[in-house]
Amino acid sequence: MSKKTRLKIGEFSQLMQVTVKTLRHYEQKGLLAPDEVDEWTGYRYYSIDQMQQLKDIRDLKRLGFSLDEIKDLFDDGSHTPTIRQMTEKIRETEAQLKALIARRNQLLNWRNARKDMKTMEKFSIQSLPEIIVASHREIVPDYAALGPLCVEKIGPEMQRLGCKCPPPGYCFTIEHNKEYTPTDIDIEYCEQVEEMGLDSAIIQFKRLPAVPRALCMKHVGPYERFYESFTEAFQYIEEHGYKVAGQHRTCYIDGAWNQEDSEKWLSVIQIPIE
C-alpha cells in the first residue's frame, strides 16, 4: 500500500505558485485548509488532491468569481458554477468591459489634450483693452446651468436688443462668491459688444476699463478641473515675481455649444497682474 504524499506548506506554495500568505488567507476563509497539521510542530501539510482544489480556486478567480462565491460552490460540493451563475458572471463582465472602455477613451482624450496643450503656448502676458460688454448676473444652481442660461435666456435677449458682437467674439464669466461653492453660484456672464445699449431686466451694458497686464493661461478640459490650471497660474505668478491686481476672468473658446467631448473644451484664464 503506497504511502500518502504530504507536502509542507512551503513546498505546496512553490509547486502551485501561490504565496504562503495567500494559502493562510484561504485557510482563514474556510476555502482550503491543510490536509494535516502536526500537533507538536504546527507544520501544515497539503495532499496531492488539494493541488486540484487550489487549481479550481485559481481558475474560478481568474473568471471573476469572488472568494465568497467560490466558497459557496465548494460548500455545495460542486467546483463548477451553474449555467445561471455563469450567465450572470458574463453579464457582470460585459458591464465591467463597457466601463473599462469608457475609462480608456477618457484617458486617451485626456492624454491627447495634454499633448495638444504642450504644443501651444500655455502662458502669455497680454494687455486687455477697454471694452463694452453686455452683462447678465444671476445665481445659478451649478456650473452645468451656465450653458443653457446663455442659449435660452441671454442669447435671445441680446438678439432682441440688437447687440452686435465684434469678431471673433469675446465672452467670459466673473464669479462673485467669496468662497467656493458647487451650488448657488453667483456668476456674471459678459460678452463684448460694439456699443452701449439700453439696459433691460436681463441685460445691463457697461464699460470695462483696460487691464494693462494680465496672465493668460489656456485650460483644456472640463470646468471641474479649473483648479489644476489655477494652481499652475498662481505658481507662475509667484515664481516670476508678479502680484495679482484684480478679479480674474474665465474666457470660453470651445465648450458644450460646439464641442461634445468635454476633454477638448478650451478656456482661457485671465488674471490681472502687476
Side-chain angles (χ1 to χ4, degrees):
M1 185 173 180
S2 61
K3 187 177 180 181
K4 186 176 180 181
T5 302
R6 298 190 312 169
L7 297 170
K8 291 181 179 180
I9 190 170
E11 296 174 306
F12 192 69
S13 162
Q14 189 175 45
L15 290 170
M16 296 304 294
Q17 297 179 303
V18 173
T19 65
V20 169
K21 181 179 179 181
T22 298
L23 290 174
R24 291 187 184 278
H25 180 58
Y26 289 172
E27 181 182 354
Q28 291 172 354
K29 294 283 290 185
L31 261 176
L32 185 66
D35 185 61
E36 182 183 338
V37 178
D38 189 291
E39 61 178 329
W40 296 104
T41 64
Y43 289 164
R44 287 166 163 74
Y45 296 95
Y46 291 82
S47 67
I48 301 302
D49 291 340
Q50 288 181 302
M51 296 177 81
Q52 180 62 48
Q53 188 176 350
L54 180 54
K55 179 181 178 299
D56 291 342
I57 293 172
R58 297 189 67 180
D59 289 344
L60 288 167
K61 271 193 67 183
R62 190 163 54 247
L63 292 174
F65 288 86
S66 69
L67 293 182
D68 288 336
E69 290 172 326
I70 296 170
K71 185 176 185 304
D72 288 341
L73 289 174
F74 283 13
D75 288 345
D76 290 342
S78 169
H79 292 189
T80 304
T82 64
I83 295 295
R84 182 187 63 79
Q85 289 172 316
M86 286 188 283
T87 301
E88 178 59 30
K89 195 58 63 177
I90 291 170
R91 192 177 296 117
E92 289 178 13
T93 302
E94 288 173 343
Q96 292 168 357
L97 181 60
K98 185 177 179 180
L100 285 171
I101 290 173
R103 183 195 299 175
R104 171 185 174 273
N105 290 339
Q106 186 175 2
L107 285 168
L108 283 172
N109 289 334
W110 194 8
R111 184 194 66 183
N112 293 338
R114 290 303 175 94
K115 283 183 177 179
D116 293 342
M117 176 71 82
K118 290 180 180 179
T119 64
M120 58 179 150
E121 186 74 26
K122 182 180 282 190
F123 298 104
S124 62
I125 306 297
Q126 300 178 20
S127 61
L128 307 179
E130 179 185 88
I131 57 173
I132 299 170
V133 297
S135 165
H136 175 79
R137 182 173 173 178
E138 183 173 329
I139 296 177
V140 296
D142 51 42
Y143 288 101
L146 184 59
L149 178 66
C150 293
V151 173
E152 299 168 10
K153 187 174 182 179
I154 298 174
E157 180 67 359
M158 288 181 62
Q159 186 175 13
R160 187 186 73 81
L161 295 173
C163 296
K164 294 181 180 180
C165 302
Y170 177 48
C171 62
F172 58 91
T173 57
I174 300 173
E175 293 186 33
H176 293 280
N177 294 93
K178 298 301 182 184
E179 59 186 54
Y180 170 75
T181 172
T183 59
D184 298 329
I185 304 161
D186 186 356
I187 199 164
E188 182 179 3
Y189 174 87
C190 299
E191 187 162 354
Q192 184 179 6
V193 294
E194 293 183 351
E195 57 186 16
M196 297 286 288
L198 295 176
D199 291 350
S200 71
I202 297 175
I203 297 294
Q204 289 76 50
F205 295 90
K206 61 170 129 178
R207 194 179 300 272
L208 296 183
V211 176
R213 286 199 300 178
L215 173 68
C216 300
M217 178 184 177
K218 293 175 181 176
H219 170 90
V220 177
Y223 304 146
E224 59 263 28
R225 290 211 303 267
F226 272 143
Y227 71 92
E228 296 177 355
S229 292
F230 277 118
T231 299
E232 288 188 66
F234 277 82
Q235 286 175 345
Y236 183 96
I237 288 171
E238 185 169 279
E239 289 169 2
H240 289 77
Y242 295 120
K243 291 183 179 179
V244 177
Q247 177 68 41
H248 72 266
R249 305 174 185 176
T250 304
C251 178
Y252 304 96
I253 310 299
D254 295 310
W257 56 91
N258 69 344
Q259 178 57 255
E260 186 175 335
D261 184 357
S262 64
E263 293 295 335
K264 297 180 180 178
W265 291 358
L266 175 62
S267 310
V268 177
I269 294 170
Q270 301 172 329
I271 306 174
I273 58 174
E274 59 183 19

